[in-house]
């Protein structure tokens, strides 16, 4: 509640208990302070104690820090002994911590120029790597030339591996002992299988590297996975035989074209003993425990690589890139690059990986005590502070970054306990040692007076209070146990009408003796408090991230909320561009809550409808396709655009309603692209191969277009006129035909028709030869 006094409500009955309640609580050790009040009034905020007349008798220790060793950072690596090269500052600090009182110190880290480099080349010599072996026979000379552009102090070593020479991992039948390739037509001759073989200790004589590589021959194992993790562990822990220098940066390049065996795979061959993490190279520099110990686990690999400050570089073929990329999240300080099937790009790969390693700094913590809380704030090269972040990227050699480290003790360990932990940048040999002691005792406790007259001779007087001997009670130990009566019950009620000792204890000599509970402790002057009635989260008291004090959770550093279930860490809220929730939301309890309409994703990085999204996608297109633009630097491009899948097309389809169309000008042309947010969290960008360009039409083109248009319109009008005339003629003809069919005469009986020949009949009578004739003459 508002105005709650944490100190007085904490029911502290001693100076030490008071200091544990809150870092701002102080204790008054004055004898006659608040004699009319309860014991708990002695524990209060400093200003209240002073106002109540306790000046000069206050116990209020605070956390402190002292820098024990602070050698300045070096600017160059080579040409000095390893004792002179310093990449982290300070080197040793001492902390004296009061529980809950946070103190902080600043750590600076610099990647010095021309730092010595030890590179151990670990190669898979299984049969499938035969073509790779041919291509690296002169690798030493070429690699040394490239690396000497980055450092003047470079050494190179070489080792190889295949797999455990036991069944079912290798061919173990007698006929395969000397040549496991017998009967294999494509490659009939090879050397026997082996686990790991150290061939060349680190040396600056690169010709020896070439000589050793030229001597090597491939072998053959039975199953696809290789025993590379055995080799990595031996190369890491056999420091003397490999020749790792303390003053150098350690690179272990692991080349393979297949997956590795991991812990528990050895059970297939009867190997049940876990790997012990020790060096097992015999006099012949071969791994002697290959047939006794199981393959190492990822956790063991990560531990040993970190112990020996080794950067592991996985150089693997494209088909296995995803698997080894997942390994890098489990093995800190590890990078992975794609190796061509014939290893022709190995030099470019190593140089790229080395530059990537040198471009970032990440702090790691070793042996941190459980009761110590650490929070980091990174200040990177851009000068901005990133709370909750302990790493910086996009650095150049010689850049200096700093980290604010806040330390808080959550509780008090046993008396006279001290701890030491180490902060070191991943892959660096330089460390910062932090020694911790605890300020949990009050100074007045050292001035305790046994059998003091102030305690009726029945107790020890310390810090203004009496600690009574067994059998005695009371502020001055004036009562014996078992004494009863209303006279001694007056101060056992929290308020008039309330039960004695809140119904959870017995009143004896005006003091409450609280009952024991199977759920926890009941305490307080009226037994009103306990340590088990606080809010829970998923059934866990104070979410496991705080302590229950009188019904209220006191959260550990890094957690807030009524039940301490809300983390204040912001690492998971930082997007790839370094912004908190991509600038589109707020980090609440370690998770982004997107406030920009349309934004989604773990860090609100997806927002198809947000203004400026097209511009962000454009930067990725320019750097990935054309190596230009604001993100042209390869490392920056890979970091900011890792979730962008870019496809180029000749014709841009815009049918998908979920795809967003974007365009931007390029040299008087327009580059168009669409992007679609995928359920996996990635973005699918479809881009035109070439910008769409257009030019202004010429005058001749315009004139010809006008003339063509006029002619075309004329032709269309003529065609229309002809169509109308034809229709009209056909209608007239049809009407004529119709009328003729309705006529009552035929053409042959036309009344107007006259034959050209006339015929006349004449009647006459004549006698011829006394005969009479009647007839006609025509």
């Amino acid at each position: 509640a508002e105005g709650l006094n944490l100190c007085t409500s904490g029911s502290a009955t001693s100076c030490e208990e008071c200091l544990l309640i809150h870092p701002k609580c102080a204790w008054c050790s004055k004898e006659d302070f608040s004699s009319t009040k309860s014991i708990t009034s002695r524990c209060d905020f400093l200003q209240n104690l002073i106002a109540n007349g306790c000046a000069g008798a206050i116990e209020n220790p605070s956390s402190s820090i002292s820098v024990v060793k602070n050698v300045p950072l070096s600017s160059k690596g080579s040409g000095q002994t390893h004792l002179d090269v310093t990449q982290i500052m300070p080197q040793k600090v001492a902390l004296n911590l009061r529980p809950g009182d946070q103190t902080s110190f600043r750590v600076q880290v610099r990647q010095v120029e021309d730092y010595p480099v030890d590179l151990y080349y670990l190669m898979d010599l299984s049969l499938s790597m035969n073509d790779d072996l041919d291509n690296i026979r002169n690798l030493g000379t070429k690699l040394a030339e490239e690396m000497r552009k980055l450092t003047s102090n470079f050494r190179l070593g070489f080792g190889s591996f295949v797999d455990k020479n036991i069944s079912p991992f290798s061919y173990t039948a007698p006929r395969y002992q000397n040549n496991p390739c017998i009967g294999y037509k494509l490659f009939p001759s090879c050397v026997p299988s082996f686990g790991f073989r150290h061939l060349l200790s680190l040396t600056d004589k690169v010709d020896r590297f070439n000589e050793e590589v030229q001597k090597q021959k491939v072998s053959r194992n039975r199953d696809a996975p290789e025993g590379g993790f055995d080799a990595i562990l031996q190369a890491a822990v056999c420091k003397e035989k490999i020749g790792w220098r303390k003053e150098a940066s350690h690179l272990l390049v692991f080349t393979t074209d297949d997956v590795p065996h991991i812990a528990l795979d050895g059970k297939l061959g009867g190997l049940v003993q876990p790997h012990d993490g020790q060096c097992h190279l015999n006099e012949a520099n071969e791994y002697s425990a290959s047939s006794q110990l199981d393959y190492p686990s990822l956790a063991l690999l990560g531990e040993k690589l970190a112990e020996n400050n080794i950067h592991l570089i996985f150089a693997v073929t494209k088909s296995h890139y995803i698997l080894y990329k997942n390994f890098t999240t489990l093995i800190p300080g590890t990078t992975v690059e794609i190796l061509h099937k014939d290893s022709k790009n190995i030099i470019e790969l190593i140089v790229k990986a080395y530059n990537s390693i040198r471009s970032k700094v990440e702090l790691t913590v070793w042996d941190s005590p459980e009761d110590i809380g650490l929070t980091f704030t990174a200040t990177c090269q851009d000068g901005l502070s990133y709370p909750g972040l302990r790493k910086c990227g996009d650095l150049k050699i010689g850049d200096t970054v700093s980290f604010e480290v806040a330390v808080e003790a959550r509780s008090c360990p046993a008396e006279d306990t001290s701890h030491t932990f180490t902060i070191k940048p991943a892959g660096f040999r330089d460390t910062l040692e932090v020694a911790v002691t605890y300020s949990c005792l009050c100074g007045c406790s050292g001035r305790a007076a046994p059998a003091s007259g102030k305690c009726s001779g029945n107790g020890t007087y310390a810090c203004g209070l009496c600690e009574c001997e067994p059998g005695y009670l009371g502020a001055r130990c004036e009562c014996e146990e078992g004494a009863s009566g209303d006279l001694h019950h007056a101060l056992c009620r929290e308020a008039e009408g309330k039960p004695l000792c809140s119904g959870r204890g017995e009143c004896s000599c005006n003091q409450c003796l609280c009952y024991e509970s199977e759920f926890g402790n009941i305490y307080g002057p009226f037994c009103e408090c306990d340590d088990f009635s606080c809010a829970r989260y998923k059934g866990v008291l104070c979410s496991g991230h705080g302590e229950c004090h009188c019904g209220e959770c006191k959260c550990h550093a890094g957690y807030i909320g009524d039940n301490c279930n809300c983390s204040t860490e912001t690492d998971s809220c930082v997007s790839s561009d370094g912004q908190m929730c991509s600038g589109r939301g707020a980090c609440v309890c370690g998770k982004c809550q997107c406030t920009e309409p349309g934004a989604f994703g773990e860090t609100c990085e997806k927002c198809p409808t947000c203004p400026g999204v097209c511009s962000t996608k454009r930067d990725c297109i320019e750097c990935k396709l054309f190596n230009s633009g604001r993100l042209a630097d390869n490392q920056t491009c890979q970091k900011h655009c890792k979730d962008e899948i870019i496809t180029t097309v000749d014709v841009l389809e815009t049918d998908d309603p979920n795809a967003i169309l974007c365009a931007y000008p390029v040299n008087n042309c327009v580059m168009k692209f669409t992007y679609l947010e995928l359920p996996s969290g990635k973005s699918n960008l479809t881009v035109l191969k070439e910008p769409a360009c257009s030019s202004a039409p010429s005058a001749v083109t315009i004139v010809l277009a006008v003339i063509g248009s006029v002619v075309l319109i004329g032709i269309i009008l003529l065609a229309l006129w002809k169509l109308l005339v034809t229709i009209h003629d056909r209608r007239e003809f049809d009407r004529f035909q119709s009328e003729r069919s309705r006529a009552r005469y035929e053409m042959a009986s036309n009344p107007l028709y006259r034959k050209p020949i006339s015929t006349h009949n004449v009647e006459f009578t004549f006698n011829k030869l006394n005969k009479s004739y009647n007839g006609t003459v025509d």
Side-chain angles (χ1 to χ4, degrees), residues 106 377-386 392 400-404:
R106 183 166 289 275
T377 299
T379 302
C380 299
Q381 202 58 28
D382 56 8
L384 301 177
S385 294
Y386 297 96
C392 287
T400 302
V401 294
S402 63
F403 301 87
E404 190 78 18

Side-chain angles (χ1 to χ4, degrees), residues 143-155:
L143 181 58
E145 289 176 359
E146 291 297 323
M147 290 301 294
R148 281 177 180 144
K149 296 176 183 178
L150 306 173
T151 175
S152 61
N153 194 339
F154 175 70
R155 298 199 312 167

Side-chain angles (χ1 to χ4, degrees), residues 391-632:
K391 62 183 177 181
C392 287
D394 300 327
L395 303 178
K396 297 179 182 178
I397 302 299
D399 286 348
T400 302
V401 294
S402 63
F403 301 87
E404 190 78 18
V405 185
V407 188
E408 179 183 342
R410 299 191 183 103
S411 61
C412 274
E415 192 173 342
D416 297 328
T417 298
S418 62
H419 290 117
T420 300
F421 64 93
T422 302
I423 296 175
K424 68 187 293 289
F428 285 51
R429 66 168 182 83
D430 305 72
T431 61
L432 165 59
E433 182 181 325
V434 183
V436 180
T437 56
Y438 298 85
S439 181
C440 293
L441 297 177
C442 296
C444 57
S445 297
R447 301 187 294 272
S452 172
K454 298 176 182 179
C455 303
S456 308
N458 299 321
T460 300
Y461 181 79
C463 300
L465 295 177
C466 287
E467 184 178 343
C468 301
E469 299 290 344
Y472 292 91
L473 300 171
R476 299 295 176 184
C477 305
E478 69 276 18
C479 298
E480 291 188 32
E481 248 183 57
S484 60
D486 293 339
L487 179 65
H488 301 302
H489 288 172
L491 298 181
C492 289
R493 301 180 191 273
E494 188 174 8
E496 187 67 29
K498 288 198 172 183
L500 288 173
C501 301
S502 305
R504 303 201 293 180
E506 293 181 353
C507 182
S508 179
C509 194
N510 274 336
Q511 284 189 336
C512 285
L513 301 178
C514 302
Y515 297 141
E516 292 185 359
S517 172
E518 60 180 323
F519 301 109
N521 295 323
I522 299 174
Y523 59 94
F526 309 105
C527 301
E528 76 279 13
C529 292
D530 60 57
D531 60 3
F532 52 83
S533 297
C534 292
R536 297 172 182 264
Y537 179 69
K538 293 184 177 180
V540 180
L541 191 67
C542 298
S543 306
H545 302 305
E547 308 296 334
C548 181
H549 289 290
C550 204
E552 183 178 358
C553 286
K554 311 293 184 182
C555 301
H556 296 158
Y559 292 91
I560 57 174
D562 292 340
N563 52 14
C564 302
N565 70 325
C566 183
S567 172
T568 59
E569 290 289 331
T570 59
D571 278 3
S572 58
C573 294
V574 179
S575 57
S576 60
D577 59 0
Q579 294 189 75
M580 193 67 64
C581 298
S582 306
R584 302 186 184 114
C587 189
V588 179
C589 298
K591 294 182 178 180
C592 282
Q593 291 188 357
C594 304
T595 55
E596 185 79 23
F600 63 96
E602 290 187 1
T603 57
C604 305
E605 73 279 11
K606 308 298 181 184
C607 187
T609 59
C610 290
V613 175
C614 283
S615 176
T616 303
K617 305 297 183 185
R618 167 188 174 177
D619 291 337
C620 290
I621 291 173
E622 289 182 338
C623 75
K624 276 197 166 187
L625 294 185
F626 309 111
N627 195 28
S628 62
R630 187 173 60 88
L631 306 177

Side-chain angles (χ1 to χ4, degrees), residues 280-334:
H280 294 284
L281 291 186
N282 58 22
E283 293 181 357
N285 285 332
E286 291 191 359
Y287 179 40
S288 59
S290 181
S291 57
Q292 286 85 41
L293 300 177
D294 191 9
Y295 298 97
S297 65
L298 291 171
L300 182 61
L301 277 182
E303 177 186 338
K304 295 303 177 182
L305 290 169
E307 278 183 9
N308 297 285
N309 306 317
I310 295 174
H311 291 286
L312 176 61
I313 301 172
F314 286 126
V316 299
T317 50
K318 188 175 182 179
S319 57
H320 301 298
Y321 176 81
I322 298 299
L323 172 66
Y324 284 90
K325 184 69 174 176
N326 292 335
F327 285 159
T328 63
T329 62
L330 302 174
I331 307 177
T334 304

Side-chain angles (χ1 to χ4, degrees), residues 701-731:
T701 303
I702 295 174
V703 171
L704 292 177
V706 171
I707 294 174
S709 299
V710 171
V711 171
L712 180 61
I713 292 172
I715 292 173
I716 292 172
L717 292 175
L718 287 174
L720 183 61
W721 174 81
K722 179 63 177 175
L723 177 63
L724 294 174
V725 169
T726 301
I727 292 172
H728 179 267
D729 289 349
R730 287 185 176 179
R731 286 179 176 175

Side-chain angles (χ1 to χ4, degrees), residues 168-190:
F169 311 118
S170 297
Y171 293 92
T172 56
R175 65 187 293 247
Y176 295 116
Q177 287 299 310
N178 297 322
N179 181 11
C181 292
I182 288 179
Y184 188 59
K185 295 181 180 180
L186 296 177
F187 205 90
S189 178
C190 58

Side-chain angles (χ1 to χ4, degrees), residues 335-349:
T335 59
V336 60
E337 299 290 346
I338 295 177
L339 179 73
H340 292 174
K341 290 188 176 181
D342 54 6
S343 293
K344 284 186 177 180
N345 70 324
I346 186 64
I347 294 178
E348 294 85 350
L349 182 152

